[in-house]
Amino acid sequence: MPEPLIRIARPDDEGELALLDRATWSPLHAVTPPPRPPYDSFFGERSGPRDHRVAEYGGRLAGYVRLGFPTALAANRHVRQIQGLAVAEEARGLGVGRALVRAAVAEARERGARRITLRVLGHNTPARALYASEGFVVEGVQPGEFLLDGEYADDVLMGRSLV
């Protein structure tokens, strides 16, 4: 199986990324309602192309990962956070998600981060398994943090050291 090509997102990826984001929306990982028109821009004030790594597989955009800061505070500028990960349905099981997580870890290191963190819903077993296999550990759980479709879901905080 060929490896996905990982690259920095370009401004002209916005339309395709927006479509991918809407196509991959799922209650498994989303805490927001399903997207409905008029759609927001994919890139915004807080995260532009430079904050995204995209995966190309078989010549098509197959996924993305968004890397940002957990807060705007100077006191934790040494921490980066995965703030979004999506893989196209047809690319799942091909190593795209793993390649994107590894790219986020590498990028965080290159930017001088000492830690990388993320938040994942407790019932998102596939994502939790992927993150754990890449060295992330559960650092905290906020029980019943979200009410989704009438069910309470835990917010699981995971992280790993980069030093």
Side-chain angles (χ1 to χ4, degrees):
M1 233 181 315
E3 290 287 315
L5 168 71
I6 307 296
R7 63 171 173 79
I8 297 172
R10 299 183 294 251
D12 65 342
D13 290 324
E14 183 163 23
E16 199 170 351
L17 286 168
L19 288 172
L20 174 66
D21 205 43
R22 291 193 296 269
T24 58
W25 183 94
S26 165
L28 185 63
H29 61 78
V31 296
T32 57
R36 302 217 189 291
Y39 301 115
D40 292 332
S41 296
F42 183 81
F43 297 130
E45 232 177 74
R46 294 184 57 206
S47 65
R50 177 178 184 274
D51 302 309
H52 294 80
R53 296 299 169 268
V54 298
E56 292 181 359
Y57 195 89
R60 298 190 60 209
L61 198 138
Y64 74 85
V65 64
R66 179 180 300 127
L67 190 62
F69 291 101
T71 73
L73 300 170
N76 80 331
R77 297 303 271 184
H78 63 285
V79 180
R80 293 297 186 280
Q81 186 175 60
I82 292 176
Q83 297 179 334
L85 175 72
V87 176
E89 184 71 36
E90 64 275 9
R92 293 186 183 161
L94 301 174
V96 173
R98 183 172 308 282
L100 287 165
V101 170
R102 288 178 178 173
V105 167
E107 178 66 20
R109 263 198 191 103
E110 287 172 23
R111 292 187 187 186
R114 297 178 55 81
R115 287 180 33 77
I116 187 168
T117 64
L118 59 89
R119 297 169 67 173
V120 61
L121 291 173
H123 60 255
N124 192 344
T125 307
R128 290 180 64 185
L130 170 62
Y131 297 136
S133 73
E134 289 299 317
F136 287 82
V137 297
V138 173
E139 297 180 334
V141 177
Q142 295 175 303
E145 186 71 5
F146 298 104
L147 179 60
L148 306 171
D149 259 351
E151 300 286 328
Y152 289 97
D154 295 347
D155 189 14
V156 179
L157 313 174
M158 299 181 79
R160 64 171 276 190
S161 174
L162 298 176
V163 292

